[in-house]
Amino acid sequence: MNSTWPVLTSLIAYPLVGVLILVFVQKEKWVRVLTLIFGIIEIILALPLLKFKLGSSAFQFQEFHPWITQWQINYHLGVDGISYLMVLLTIILLPLCVLCSWTYIGKRIKEFHICLLLMTSACIGVFVALDFVLFYIFWEAMLVPMFLLIAVWGGPERKYASIKFFIYTLAGSTLLLVAMIAFYKQAGTFSIPELIAKDYPFRFQFWAFLAMAIAFAIKVPMFPFHTWLPAAHVQAPTAGSVLLASVLLKMGTYGFLRFCLSLTPAASVYFAPMMIAISIASIIYGGLVALGQKDMKKLIAYSSVAHMGFVTLGIFIFNLRGAEGALMQMLNHGITTGGLFMLVGAIYERSHSREISANQGLGKFLPAYLFFFGLFSLSSLAFPGTNSFVGEALVLIGTFKKNMLLGLLAIPGALLAAAYMLRLLQKLAWGEPSAAKGQDWNDLSLREWIYLLPLAILVIYLGLAPGLALKTMDASLAKILNHVLVR
């Protein structure tokens, strides 16, 4: 389906228009209000995407304009069942991030909201780009606002965390640049659909896969490339942590699906045992380290390493159930972990601490807060009826289908998730509270209800009725898997 109205361009460009307008706004209150309005209008601009044709593996809403014709670089956009869901997730998060930062951010408010808008534009661009150069531009463009979010509005160790984040991701980007140039020399085009349609010698695929896989593994992040993540999450402001967990990490797993499996299918099969082993190591390691954390944000950060391990496991077992589970888990992790980080930010505004011991027993004072925290915690440990259960169950079904031993090796990850999330929930709900602090705690405000409720509804909706999401992704995933298995 080619778009008559450039809906994808409008989704990328509109946040940039918002940036230009914010430059001339002086009052801090209006900066927040206008950014919230920009976020709501961005959702309205995305409504034409509801015409997405289910059951089709083709790229839809395509836009094509020649750009640098000498080098075969074109402005080419489109979405399939994989990128479609990621675009919707990114758009939904913008107004929620504005609301959760309403009182959290107290300095350089205009610059902060400009960074949010730039991040949104770049992230959508990554998911819809069908030209490798365009993809790379958006991939790089996302680094600067994320770096600033951590470095300017982060915690006491923000400089260390931001520089570590930048060095790691820049190193990955360099490898991706090398791979992009190599594909151009090999195929003479940067068009992603044309690159997918070509066959490459195994030796070329071998090296191209390694370069791209390291770049994407850093972004996911997979063990042992994960060390930048806890520092970045702990130091980042709430909105930064939400965008980091909900969108940025998904770029790595999206890259595995779009580039590694699609462009280097034979090498993907060759390296699959290694990728599966690293995925299981990420699941176990992330779960064990999360179990020993005293800081709520750090616990959730390490749990992300484990959850994303399930995603990469589902991708590299090469069957439809596993791939469905991986993509569902990408979506679910963005919703659930985003919600958890918002809740940690909300309690930090009250207690000025993210330590579990400093916030234990809050259930006595904050029943509404505890309700949301309980719901997102149950989702995080993949409790039946919640969204994460669907994704994790599909990954495990696919893994057992491929190999019984691999399935058994992944099971402890699910048990560890239950252990660390229930331990956290138990401390917050029934720990001995500090009476002095408790008297000062207020339950959720209307603003907090507004930004938590949409994510809570998605947790339940995707948990009870995942059929529409699965229909959206199935054809595209089947096409990629068929591409891998027949090469």
Side-chain angles (χ1 to χ4, degrees):
M1 176 190 288
N2 292 320
S3 176
T4 52
W5 163 252
V7 56
L8 299 180
T9 294
S10 68
L11 294 176
I12 295 171
Y14 181 70
L16 301 180
V17 174
V19 169
L20 288 176
I21 294 172
L22 285 190
V23 168
F24 299 101
V25 178
Q26 297 302 322
K27 291 190 176 180
E28 295 176 348
K29 177 185 175 184
W30 282 108
V31 169
R32 292 190 177 99
V33 171
L34 283 173
T35 313
L36 181 60
I37 293 171
F38 295 146
I40 294 169
I41 294 177
E42 180 82 345
I43 293 174
I44 295 171
L45 288 174
L47 290 178
L49 291 179
L50 296 178
K51 293 180 180 176
F52 184 86
K53 187 177 178 183
L54 299 176
S56 170
S57 63
F59 289 107
Q60 304 181 38
F61 303 97
Q62 288 198 51
E63 299 171 35
F64 182 91
H65 302 285
W67 183 14
I68 307 173
T69 53
Q70 299 95 318
W71 295 343
Q72 302 295 314
I73 300 172
N74 301 300
Y75 180 81
H76 191 187
L77 308 177
V79 289
D80 64 356
I82 299 169
S83 49
Y84 179 77
L85 294 170
M86 294 298 103
V87 169
L88 294 185
L89 177 65
T90 306
I91 291 169
I92 290 170
L93 286 174
L94 175 58
L96 305 187
C97 284
V98 174
L99 285 171
C100 76
S101 306
W102 204 270
T103 54
Y104 192 95
I105 300 299
K107 65 176 182 180
R108 299 192 176 196
I109 292 167
K110 181 195 294 186
E111 292 85 348
F112 175 83
H113 288 84
I114 285 174
C115 284
L116 288 185
L117 291 168
L118 290 173
M119 280 286 298
T120 302
S121 177
C123 291
I124 293 172
V126 165
F127 292 127
V128 304
L130 292 182
D131 183 281
F132 211 149
V133 173
L134 200 58
F135 171 87
Y136 189 77
I137 290 171
F138 286 124
W139 178 277
E140 289 296 283
M142 169 273 305
L143 287 183
V144 176
M146 191 68 235
F147 169 80
L148 291 175
L149 284 176
I150 301 171
V152 178
W153 295 277
E157 298 179 18
R158 57 186 179 274
K159 289 184 179 178
Y160 165 77
S162 59
I163 291 172
K164 193 172 184 178
F165 161 79
F166 200 82
I167 290 174
Y168 265 76
T169 49
L170 192 61
S173 297
T174 305
L175 290 171
L176 191 60
L177 177 64
V178 171
M180 183 180 74
I181 295 170
F183 273 107
Y184 179 71
K185 291 193 70 174
Q186 191 76 15
T189 180
F190 287 111
S191 167
I192 292 172
E194 290 181 26
L195 289 172
I196 292 172
K198 293 182 181 294
D199 287 323
Y200 305 96
F202 179 76
R203 187 178 178 81
F204 174 81
Q205 288 194 36
F206 181 94
W207 293 109
F209 177 91
L210 278 181
M212 293 190 297
I214 293 173
F216 298 139
I218 290 172
K219 190 74 80 181
V220 171
M222 297 179 76
F223 174 86
F225 302 106
H226 67 284
T227 60
W228 64 268
L229 182 70
H233 266 317
V234 170
Q235 297 304 319
T238 298
S241 295
V242 172
L243 290 174
L244 195 60
S246 302
V247 183
L248 264 68
L249 306 190
K250 311 305 176 296
M251 292 181 181
T253 46
Y254 174 77
F256 278 125
L257 285 167
R258 179 70 74 226
F259 293 94
C260 288
L261 268 61
S262 300
L263 301 186
T264 58
S268 296
V269 173
Y270 179 81
F271 283 107
M274 180 186 77
M275 299 304 294
I276 289 171
I278 295 174
S279 300
I280 292 175
S282 297
I283 292 169
I284 304 300
Y285 172 83
L288 284 172
V289 179
L291 196 57
Q293 296 306 311
K294 297 178 180 176
D295 184 296
M296 296 165 70
K297 246 187 168 183
K298 199 174 278 188
L299 185 153
I300 298 168
Y302 277 108
S303 78
S304 293
V305 176
H307 290 141
M308 296 308 288
F310 274 105
V311 175
T312 50
L313 176 64
I315 290 173
F316 282 96
I317 57 176
F318 300 141
N319 59 47
L320 187 57
R321 290 289 89 79
E324 283 176 334
L327 193 49
M328 281 295 291
Q329 210 44 2
M330 286 167 63
L331 186 63
N332 295 335
H333 181 263
I335 295 166
T336 301
T337 306
L340 284 171
F341 275 125
M342 287 177 183
L343 285 164
V344 173
I347 200 62
Y348 181 77
E349 290 190 60
R350 290 165 171 79
S351 68
H352 306 293
S353 173
R354 289 187 291 265
E355 291 290 316
I356 298 172
S357 58
N359 296 297
Q360 65 183 4
L362 60 78
K364 182 176 180 181
F365 311 105
L366 313 176
Y369 180 93
L370 190 63
F371 163 75
F372 282 106
F373 204 95
L375 178 64
F376 289 120
S377 296
L378 290 176
S379 170
S380 185
L381 62 86
F383 192 79
T386 63
N387 55 341
S388 299
F389 172 77
V390 179
E392 199 166 301
L394 285 169
V395 170
L396 288 174
I397 290 169
T399 307
F400 274 107
K401 186 178 178 183
K402 181 172 180 71
N403 186 294
M404 182 69 76
L405 179 60
L406 290 178
L408 291 173
L409 288 172
I411 286 292
L415 299 177
L416 284 169
Y420 60 71
M421 287 311 302
L422 288 177
R423 169 180 164 268
L424 175 60
L425 186 58
Q426 185 272 330
K427 292 276 186 185
L428 296 185
W430 297 288
E432 187 59 34
S434 164
K437 281 187 176 180
Q439 291 173 358
D440 298 329
W441 286 345
N442 295 316
D443 209 345
L444 295 180
S445 65
L446 178 62
R447 174 180 58 83
E448 290 167 329
W449 270 90
I450 291 173
Y451 69 70
L452 288 169
L453 199 57
L455 297 179
I457 291 171
L458 286 173
V459 165
I460 296 169
Y461 171 72
L462 290 171
L464 297 179
L468 184 59
L470 293 173
K471 281 182 184 175
T472 304
M473 66 179 74
D474 269 358
S476 299
L477 290 173
K479 183 180 178 181
I480 289 177
L481 290 173
N482 185 57
H483 185 71
V484 171
L485 298 175
V486 300
R487 298 296 171 99

